[in-house]
Amino acid sequence: MMVAACALAGAAIPHLAHAQASPALKAEAAANVDAHAKMVANAVDQIFSYAEPGFQEFKSTRYIADLLEKEGFKVEFGVAGIPTAFKATWGEGGPLIALGSDIDCLLGVSQYPGTGKLTPMVAGAPGHGEGHNSGMPLIVAAAIAAKDVMTKHGIKGRLLIWPGIAEELLATKAYYVRDGLFKGVDANIFTHVASGFQTGWGEMGNNGLVSVEYTFHGKTAHAAGDPWDGLSALDAVEIMDTAWNFRREHLPVTQRSHYVITNGGGQPNVVPDLATVWYYFRERTFKSVADLYKTGNEVADGAAKATGTTVEHRILGYAAPNYGNKPLAEAAYENIKLVGMPKWTAEDQAFTKTVQTTLGRPVKPLATTVGELSTPASRPRSIGGGSDDVGDIMWTVPSITIGFPSNIPSMIGHNKTSAMAMATPIAHKGAVAGAKAVAMTVLDLMTTPKLIAEAKGFQKNVQFKEDTYAPLISATDKPAIWLNHDVMEKLRPSMEKFYFDSAKYPNYLAQLGIAYPGGADKDPTK
């Protein structure tokens, strides 16, 4: 949606406790984002086509870094010892504002976009079943718009752009914080794909998390000839899992815990001397996460004693509970209202309905109005749920998350259904709208010292009075950068033929030969 300069210049800006950037500056930023709408669409489609899971986002982050370097940003890879992580910086003097979004995808959810039929592009391959392909293109457009307006008007300030690597593994942002990426940052704006356009403040109702791998060591033997000479590491894993499932009944209702056995041994006639199980432990507060992790360790140690094996505990990732900054959220919300929802076409709404109907999901049209600001008073009482490691940044510098409308309602999270709209005009328009709100909020921060002071004051006097940042990773823990390597080594050759060629095709659906919105219930491979 184009936000005209004349409309913004005459708009009545609601009174806030803190001032804002002028409507004229915001109009320029919005027009700049519109001028880069094709770049946004191409980037959304390109990253969707790369479909790279956590720690393997080599092509995705290089693509984004190239866009930023062309705009004068200095890019440095290898943040926190993570090969795919970078920081991109621009500007001098003034406030330092960080902007970021996630870029990884999920294992096993490869899916053709623009269709409601469950059809993988490559069987068993990763896919963007969360919609992370849209976030960094949004951030790039917002950063360019803010930079260009600041340059034109001589506004001092600095930008720090960072990608959320391996967010689906909750495996990097705590390391970013530990290793000083956000040192000196005045405020941080994070974005995440949604079907609405919103932000909020306060304790956000999700769970903190610790990701931990338990490796049991036993002794091999012939499983039939002399099993008494063996000590089964797999027995230990199974006893741990069984014990944990009994223990669940006596844990708080807010906890969430789940596991996968990543190594169960070699072949049945050899007693396994090595077996590994990977757990996520989620809870509502720093203390309750730590307590749940302690309980998990006790159960693992008990399983080892019961089987005569030994066990190692290794933390693979951590995520703090999320906490949004009130002054930042209020400023961003005014900008969200100013931008408004994208102008959905009849084709967009038809595609949405067809997908929902075909999949048997609740039928709900694309939203046409912005929702209310989410506050502790307006949110229902949380009993726990998902996690996002942006929480570690939120407990380091004043931060918010802006949800932007690039997906359709009623889809299932971490699922193929959530990939179906993510390389369509819906995803493109939602990212453009989100970029405008982010760019406007950056200009608020760059031109209004009082807003930054209020944001820091809220964090110090309200947020830090409610809890204290207490991550479970240590100074010696390292990011699990080996994860997903073998998967991509095996599957990338089959995936490469699906990479988007923006020089040859106007959009990814055209390359795939998929009509929009027609044929949403048809098999795209035929």
Side-chain angles (χ1 to χ4, degrees), residues 191-239:
T191 67
H192 197 281
V193 62
S195 59
F197 202 3
Q198 69 269 326
T199 191
W201 62 270
E203 195 276 310
M204 300 303 293
N206 59 356
N207 278 345
L209 170 150
V210 60
S211 166
V212 57
E213 178 184 73
Y214 295 98
T215 300
F216 291 86
H217 297 271
K219 178 184 176 184
T220 62
H222 194 299
D226 59 342
W228 43 83
D229 282 331
L231 297 171
S232 174
L234 179 58
D235 286 352
V237 164
E238 292 185 295
I239 287 174

Side-chain angles (χ1 to χ4, degrees), residues 132 142 175 205 224 233 236 243 301 344 391 415 478:
H132 285 175
Y175 293 101
D301 292 344
W344 307 120
N415 185 271
K478 296 181 179 180

Side-chain angles (χ1 to χ4, degrees), residues 76 128 136 148 156 218 222 224 243 320 332 407 484-485 493 497:
E76 300 175 51
H128 277 286
M136 285 306 295
D148 288 351
K156 292 291 185 181
H222 194 299
N407 214 328
N484 296 325
H485 174 269
K497 65 181 179 180

